[in-house]
Structures are given as structure tokens and as C-alpha cells.
Amino acid sequence: MNEKEILSYIGITTKRKNYDNISRTLAYQKYYFQHREIKWAYLASMVSRNAGWSMTDLQGKWFRKSLTEEQRHLLFLTYERANWMIFQDAFPQLLIYSFSKKFNRPLFHLLPHLQVSRFMEEEWLSFWKEPDLDRLMKALIINEQNVIQKPILEKEPYKSHVFKSIPYKFQDLFHFSTVLFPTLEGSLFGFSVYDFSEITNRIDLGKKLAWLLFESGLYEKFVVFSQSVSHTGSRYDYEFLFPDKRKRETPLLRTTYPIISHSLDEGKEDWFHGQNTKKWFKEIKIPKKYELTFWFKHKQDQLHMLTLLQEYWKQRK
């Protein structure tokens, strides 16, 4: 294959696998087990599962009571757009790396043709010369959060109608913005992020989740779960494993949402302009509490109670 054919293949493949949340999740996971040195791909697959669960939450029993249809639709579009953009940027990088391995020569000079940041071109070249698995994983975390910062977090209608809205701040206040990694034993592990709109907070969350996935001693349990339980987009993917046998309260993603057609904004700008990124590579302090099974159930019960109270006061008016 010549370089033009490689770029064409990457464009077609990325579009096909960026179909919806489920296809993205599976693509990340499959790639990781073919190239285990690219740890970010597995992290992305597990975080992508959480994005799917958050999407179907919006059509579940409780959010349908607490949020208007317009609010739920905009929140869904926010999740969908952000995850589409990350995949559209990151998966071509992963494919360039796999082609580089195949031909035994670096092909990262092709990344600008795929609208990938100069920051990542330099990181991939560095990785090719001296592989540092954790450095590359952190670089990809930093890149993905910068990719969505201006187009999603700082752009209307998302900025004012989502990230500054009362329903979003309500979720943020009670730490419902939590990423969970389940096990077949019915346990949940994870971390929360407060003030999701701050890029450093999201990068720190990514680094905490990377630690949890690869360094906490729970890696094998997470792998067994992800390889045993198909991703449907419903939280019932792990709730059915709870000893108290909870009922399904969220639907399947593909029976709930239509396929959303996306396109990249014209004149997409590179977020990297030579600025200092050292602060984002620094080690972070890992909270001692990351087993969240009881916490999650308690927070869900809190949400249900608050929703019922909200419904009660509406009826009283």
C-alpha cells in the first residue's frame, strides 16, 4: 500500500467504526488486545462503556422524571458529539501506529493529513524511538481532552445549556459524574470528577482511571468483565451482577437512539501551539477510596429520592 491508499483506508475504517457508542467501544477494545502496548486504547474502551451507560440513563425511569425532553436530548448530543470527536481524532492515530508496525517504519508524518495535533505527532515519534507506555497513554489522555475543550466545553449550545445549566450542576454537585469499572463479582471501582468543564480536572480523572485499570491490582478482573459482558449501553450490563438483583431501569442503546450524522467543523484548528504541557504529565495523588459499590448504590438512591421530591413539589404547585 502506498501512503495515499493508507490514508484512504484509515478514513473509511474510522468512519465505519465511529458509527455509535457501541461500535467505538468494541473498536477500542479489539485494538488493545491486538496491540497491548497501547494502554490508552483499553482505557478508552472502558470509559466509552460509561459514556453509553450515561446516554441510556437519560431515557431511563428516573431521568425521564427529573429532566425535560429537551434537556435530555441536548445532554445525549453532548455525550455523543464529544465521544465521536475523540474517536475521530484518536483512532486514525492508532491505525497509523499499526501500519508503522506492519511496515517496520514510522508513518507519523501522515498524522497532519488526518488533522491530528502536532503534539501527538511528536509523542508518537518519541514513542517509536524509545517506547514509554505510560508516557504515551498520558499524552493521549491530554490530547483527547484538549480536542473536545473548545468545540464542546466552550462552544454554544453546550456551554450555557449543558455545562452551566442547573440539571448539570445538580449532577456535578452530587458527583454523579463518575466513571465506573465493574467486575463479575458485582463490585464497582472508579473515580468522580468535579467541575467537568475544567480541562485539568478531566485529565487528572483520566490519569486516576489509568492507575486504577493498570496499577491497582484489579486489571485481570476488569479484563474478565469486559471480555465476558457484551456492551449494550445499558447500566444493566453490570447491575445484573449485584447480589440484590436490581431491576432493569435503563434501555439498550441501539433500541433507544438513532444514528447521529456528524461532520468535523471546517477549519479545525490544532489545539497545540507549543505551550508547556509538563503540568499535565505530572504524577497525581490517588484517593484511597476507589471501591464504590456501596457509594454508587447510595447515590442512585439519593437521585431517586430527589427525583420523587421534585415530582411531588411539581404536583403541589
Side-chain angles (χ1 to χ4, degrees):
M1 295 177 72
N2 60 39
E3 291 184 352
K4 187 176 180 180
E5 290 169 333
I6 289 171
L7 289 171
S8 176
Y9 171 85
I10 289 173
I12 293 168
T13 303
T14 301
K15 183 177 181 180
R16 180 166 52 85
K17 293 184 182 293
N18 206 357
Y19 182 75
D20 66 4
N21 172 264
I22 292 175
S23 63
R24 287 171 212 133
T25 303
L26 296 177
Y28 286 136
Q29 181 171 310
K30 183 178 179 181
Y31 185 92
Y32 170 72
F33 288 111
Q34 292 172 338
H35 308 275
R36 289 199 184 221
E37 67 274 25
I38 310 302
K39 297 161 75 174
W40 179 87
Y42 191 47
L43 174 63
S45 76
M46 295 296 281
V47 173
S48 184
R49 284 185 182 245
N50 279 262
W53 298 333
S54 294
M55 289 176 184
T56 58
D57 279 350
L58 297 168
Q59 294 292 353
K61 176 181 176 180
W62 298 101
F63 279 93
R64 287 175 71 89
K65 290 177 181 288
S66 59
L67 301 177
T68 67
E69 184 176 350
E70 183 181 0
Q71 288 169 335
R72 288 186 285 111
H73 180 64
L74 189 53
L75 279 166
F76 162 71
L77 290 178
T78 306
Y79 284 121
E80 169 64 20
R81 180 67 177 173
N83 284 271
W84 181 89
M85 287 194 72
I86 289 170
F87 190 94
Q88 195 69 20
D89 184 86
F91 204 71
Q93 297 179 52
L94 305 185
L95 294 177
I96 285 287
Y97 173 70
S98 64
F99 272 113
S100 297
K101 282 177 67 177
K102 182 178 180 179
F103 298 129
N104 198 30
R105 61 186 177 90
L107 296 170
F108 306 114
H109 62 280
L110 296 177
L111 289 174
H113 296 283
L114 298 162
Q115 293 187 287
V116 174
S117 171
R118 183 163 57 89
F119 168 79
M120 282 313 305
E121 183 180 358
E122 293 173 3
E123 290 293 334
W124 279 110
L125 279 169
S126 176
F127 178 77
W128 184 262
K129 294 172 184 174
E130 295 183 30
D132 183 335
L133 277 59
D134 289 329
R135 166 84 187 193
L136 181 68
M137 179 169 58
K138 287 178 182 177
L140 284 161
I141 291 170
I142 293 164
N143 179 69
E144 66 173 286
Q145 295 308 325
N146 275 283
V147 162
I148 64 169
Q149 183 64 23
K150 284 190 176 180
I152 302 290
L153 281 297
E154 298 177 11
K155 186 175 181 179
E156 300 297 350
Y158 310 109
K159 182 179 179 180
S160 58
H161 294 288
V162 176
F163 298 106
K164 289 188 177 180
S165 69
I166 292 173
Y168 177 78
K169 288 186 177 298
F170 167 80
Q171 290 186 66
D172 207 25
L173 180 65
F174 285 93
H175 291 281
F176 291 118
S177 300
T178 303
V179 178
L180 299 169
F181 296 161
T183 70
L184 288 184
E185 291 79 18
S187 298
L188 300 173
F189 300 85
F191 295 107
S192 297
V193 59
Y194 181 77
D195 196 357
F196 188 84
S197 58
E198 286 296 320
I199 188 169
T200 299
N201 293 353
R202 300 196 311 276
I203 290 170
D204 285 349
L205 174 64
K207 291 190 287 187
K208 289 175 188 175
L209 292 169
W211 174 89
L212 179 60
L213 202 54
F214 296 106
E215 297 180 49
S216 67
L218 294 162
Y219 171 79
E220 293 298 335
K221 289 182 180 291
F222 297 142
V223 167
V224 170
F225 172 85
S226 62
Q227 292 188 324
S228 303
V229 179
S230 297
H231 176 55
T232 71
S234 169
R235 283 197 190 275
Y236 199 65
D237 288 352
Y238 62 80
E239 288 176 334
F240 84 95
L241 295 165
F242 291 163
D244 53 353
K245 301 298 179 186
R246 295 198 165 195
K247 293 181 181 179
R248 176 188 290 278
E249 293 183 338
T250 54
L252 306 178
L253 188 137
R254 283 183 170 168
T255 62
T256 306
Y257 291 112
I259 299 304
I260 305 298
S261 179
H262 297 273
S263 62
L264 282 173
D265 296 335
E266 289 186 15
K268 177 190 172 187
E269 291 184 13
D270 187 345
W271 65 265
F272 184 67
H273 304 288
Q275 64 267 42
N276 192 335
T277 59
K278 286 183 180 179
K279 62 179 179 180
W280 289 327
F281 281 101
K282 289 180 179 178
E283 295 297 321
I284 54 169
K285 186 177 180 180
I286 303 297
K288 292 181 180 179
K289 184 175 175 58
Y290 51 87
E291 204 282 338
L292 301 181
T293 314
F294 174 79
W295 177 92
F296 172 76
K297 292 178 181 180
H298 178 65
K299 286 295 177 184
Q300 290 292 90
D301 291 340
Q302 271 188 319
L303 173 63
H304 300 167
M305 182 59 70
L306 289 166
T307 301
L308 291 172
L309 285 171
Q310 182 184 22
E311 196 172 39
Y312 171 76
W313 285 113
K314 280 181 181 178
Q315 293 171 354
R316 287 286 301 271
K317 287 181 179 180

